Amino acid sequence: MSKRRAAFLTLGCKVNQYETDAMEEILEKAGYEIVSFKETADVYIINTCSVTNMADRKSRQMIHRAKKNNPDAIIVAAGCYVQAAEEELAKKNEADILVGNNKKKDIAQILEEYFAAKEPEQEVPVVSEVIDINHTKEYEDLTIHKVNEHTRAYIKIQDGCNQFCSYCIIPYTRGRIRSKNPEEVIEEVKNLAAQGYKEIVLTGIHLSSYGKDLGTVTLLDVIKRIQQVEDVERIRLGSLEPRIITEEFVKELVKCDKVCPHFHLSLQSGCDETLKRMNRKYTTEEYEEALNILRKYYEHPALTTDVIAGFVGETEEEFEKTRAYLEKINLYEMHIFKYSVREGTRAQKMSGHVPEQVKTERSEVLLSMAKRHKTAFEEWYVGRKEKVLLEEIVEKNGKKYFQGYTAHYVKVAVELTENDTKLEQNEVIVVDIQGFIDENLLYGKVSIEF
């Protein structure tokens, strides 16, 4: 009997991608052949997202696409959208199997039981494997030994969120905070380092809360232990809450020289009144203090954030406060999102929703600022030497370049000449940065000294 073929598609965040990689490994071990989502497969697994109504719609579209790829295939919908809309999905009968969060580790067993129960030519009712995520304290035991990226490995060490921001559905789809055992984290990092991954990226749904459910361990403790893993060259941190950035935390963090000076601190608004309606737990003053601490201990740190334009009730005056505040704090990158109504959240029921056209205008103002700030930040590197982790060969204006990222997550390209044919993917080189190829890409020459 030939191997069953399984195809995966991931929507949403890096945590989802990690969980897909883990499910792929589980099915490979169970004897499945993993193929591209575009190919004909026996099983299609869509790891869904539910962060916005648009993400829900995209999840439904991908379920339909899988059915078109092979009408006879078993369609599995997994993840956050399933957790949020189990009953609706079961009624629609578009997916054969529903797998909620904290059940992805059982994917092989779920499929085995489904195939065993399936009678030829008979309709099988939708199988639902969804737990009440809000009442579990179990951290789902998923582990990876390889990832789809070639140079950096994203590893999930935390799940769940206790914040309940008024615009967000994720605490309801991911449950309360849960942390991976630190011994298992270190074992996973060692395995990935042995496979040749030089950069480890720590991710979670609310990474800053890592360890709070374990009692004695903290995020800083785990970072310090990963620092000791010999073959790891870089440790990059996923999104952090501003309140974790204290003088004490950063004093210790800066001693870990493998930690990349690239910090994503979620902001969402530069206006205190708006932050209150969002149920964010800090003020703009506290956020700015966190930035000042990072800038005190790191030279030219890459500070990035997310901002929502046109949140419910945002007046022109409030938007102007946000605009002026963002101009003042001057970050490297700002991911600007127009507020999108999410069913099932408190914000959906609030009065004062901002017209779509106004949201668009405000986001365009912030996007223009973000572009300026990014260029100014990257200009600082011209004439400097920086270590670059090489990722891929690209072609620009008829020339070939090897491009990669600095520790600050700035993209840099090196022109490939006859002398540079020995450059390899996943190699760290020193680059003498000379200027811009285009507005989004610095370039330079390989330097022999640092």
Side-chain angles (χ1 to χ4, degrees):
M1 181 180 163
S2 60
K3 283 184 174 184
R4 285 201 176 104
R5 291 155 62 89
F8 285 84
L9 183 98
T10 308
L11 299 169
C13 64
K14 293 296 183 186
V15 168
N16 260 15
Q17 185 57 60
Y18 171 91
E19 290 171 347
T20 297
D21 290 344
M23 285 192 287
E24 281 190 13
E25 282 196 30
I26 290 166
L27 289 193
E28 273 185 318
K29 201 177 279 187
Y32 285 75
E33 179 188 352
I34 307 301
V35 298
S36 159
F37 194 78
K38 294 173 185 173
E39 294 182 54
T40 303
D42 302 299
V43 180
Y44 291 92
I45 299 163
I46 301 96
N47 199 2
T48 63
C49 176
S50 194
V51 72
T52 62
N53 287 351
M54 186 72 78
D56 284 359
R57 188 153 63 243
K58 182 82 169 172
S59 298
R60 289 192 296 271
Q61 286 170 354
M62 293 303 105
I63 292 167
H64 296 156
R65 184 174 296 179
K67 205 69 180 168
K68 278 185 184 174
N69 287 356
N70 180 8
D72 298 323
I74 305 305
I75 310 299
V76 181
C80 290
Y81 177 48
V82 173
Q83 200 71 46
E86 179 196 3
E87 284 183 28
E88 179 193 338
L89 277 166
K91 279 178 194 168
K92 285 186 174 176
N93 209 23
E94 292 165 341
D96 301 293
I97 303 173
L98 306 177
V99 178
N101 289 324
N102 261 46
K103 293 292 284 182
K104 295 174 186 176
K105 67 182 184 302
D106 303 322
I107 186 66
Q109 184 187 337
I110 290 167
L111 283 169
E112 187 182 329
E113 289 172 2
Y114 185 88
F115 282 117
K118 193 174 186 294
E119 296 287 342
E121 309 301 323
Q122 278 194 358
E123 280 288 316
V124 179
V126 175
V127 171
S128 187
E129 294 281 349
V130 180
I131 65 166
D132 181 353
I133 199 74
N134 291 300
H135 290 92
T136 186
K137 293 182 179 177
E138 177 200 358
Y139 181 84
E140 185 172 22
D141 186 20
L142 289 169
T143 299
I144 59 170
H145 297 86
K146 62 184 177 63
V147 294
N148 291 325
E149 286 208 38
H150 298 291
T151 55
R152 67 173 58 84
Y154 290 85
I155 74 165
K156 172 190 159 190
I157 67 169
Q158 186 279 334
D159 206 341
C161 181
N162 294 357
Q163 298 302 101
F164 291 95
C165 298
S166 62
Y167 52 80
C168 186
I169 198 73
I170 297 307
Y172 304 98
T173 64
R174 283 281 177 176
R176 302 295 74 76
I177 59 169
R178 307 180 300 286
S179 306
K180 186 164 186 161
N181 181 293
E183 301 302 328
E184 291 174 9
V185 173
I186 300 307
E187 188 62 31
E188 189 167 11
V189 169
K190 284 178 178 175
N191 285 335
L192 289 164
Q195 294 291 321
Y197 296 102
K198 290 188 164 61
E199 184 174 308
I200 300 295
V201 187
L202 300 182
T203 66
I205 297 299
H206 192 256
L207 186 62
S208 300
S209 66
Y210 176 83
K212 286 186 177 176
D213 56 319
L214 300 179
T216 56
V217 67
T218 66
L219 179 61
L220 190 58
D221 295 331
V222 165
I223 294 167
K224 286 178 176 178
R225 288 190 62 183
I226 298 172
Q227 169 79 19
Q228 302 306 314
V229 178
E230 194 175 330
D231 294 326
V232 172
E233 293 201 23
R234 289 180 179 176
I235 304 165
R236 199 177 295 279
L237 304 179
S239 181
L240 298 172
E241 279 291 315
R243 289 169 302 165
I244 199 173
I245 305 298
T246 62
E247 193 98 22
E248 295 72 29
F249 179 83
V250 180
K251 264 185 186 175
E252 290 301 307
L253 194 66
V254 79
K255 293 174 188 174
C256 300
D257 61 358
K258 293 179 181 180
V259 171
C260 295
H262 167 216
F263 303 98
H264 186 90
L265 302 187
S266 192
L267 174 62
Q268 308 306 357
S269 174
C271 168
D272 287 332
E273 292 86 349
T274 310
L275 287 174
K276 270 185 189 171
R277 286 197 305 281
M278 290 178 166
N279 198 33
R280 300 293 287 175
K281 310 292 197 303
Y282 50 81
T283 63
T284 52
E285 186 181 345
E286 288 166 335
Y287 187 93
E288 190 172 358
E289 177 57 24
L291 299 181
N292 291 339
I293 291 168
L294 289 167
R295 284 168 169 156
K296 174 181 171 183
Y297 285 92
Y298 289 94
E299 183 188 22
H300 197 63
L303 305 175
T304 66
T305 200
D306 304 311
V307 179
I308 296 173
F311 183 66
V312 187
E314 184 182 70
T315 62
E316 281 297 334
E317 183 187 5
E318 287 182 352
F319 173 69
E320 175 53 29
K321 282 183 183 177
T322 289
R323 190 206 61 75
Y325 180 77
L326 293 173
E327 197 72 78
K328 175 187 172 191
I329 62 174
N330 191 17
L331 303 177
Y332 167 39
E333 281 189 321
M334 297 188 292
H335 305 294
I336 310 298
F337 303 92
K338 289 189 288 183
Y339 170 67
S340 171
V341 179
R342 181 62 182 82
E343 287 170 25
T345 60
R346 278 193 292 138
Q348 179 198 7
K349 298 165 188 165
M350 290 179 180
S351 59
H353 283 261
V354 176
E356 200 60 35
Q357 180 59 34
V358 175
K359 286 193 272 189
T360 300
E361 288 166 4
R362 290 176 185 176
S363 70
E364 283 173 357
V365 168
L366 299 183
L367 284 165
S368 175
M369 182 200 302
K371 195 174 177 182
R372 267 192 297 112
H373 288 184
K374 185 176 190 292
T375 301
F377 182 90
E378 291 177 347
E379 280 173 347
W380 185 84
Y381 291 99
V382 178
R384 299 176 70 90
K385 289 179 169 59
E386 289 290 325
K387 286 183 179 178
V388 175
L389 176 58
L390 296 176
E391 291 201 353
E392 60 180 345
I393 294 172
V394 296
E395 198 166 301
K396 294 272 184 183
N397 309 322
K399 293 181 180 178
K400 283 190 174 178
Y401 295 86
F402 220 138
Q403 73 177 24
Y405 286 89
T406 69
H408 294 73
Y409 211 63
V410 173
K411 196 188 289 184
V412 177
V414 176
E415 187 179 344
L416 280 173
T417 64
E418 287 181 15
N419 297 331
D420 296 325
T421 52
K422 290 181 181 176
L423 292 180
E424 293 181 0
Q425 186 182 56
N426 206 28
E427 179 183 1
V428 177
I429 61 168
V430 177
V431 178
D432 193 350
I433 299 174
Q434 297 175 322
F436 288 85
I437 296 173
D438 57 39
E439 60 182 14
N440 296 312
L441 185 59
L442 287 161
Y443 80 96
K445 291 187 175 178
V446 179
S447 175
I448 54 170
E449 50 186 68
F450 186 65

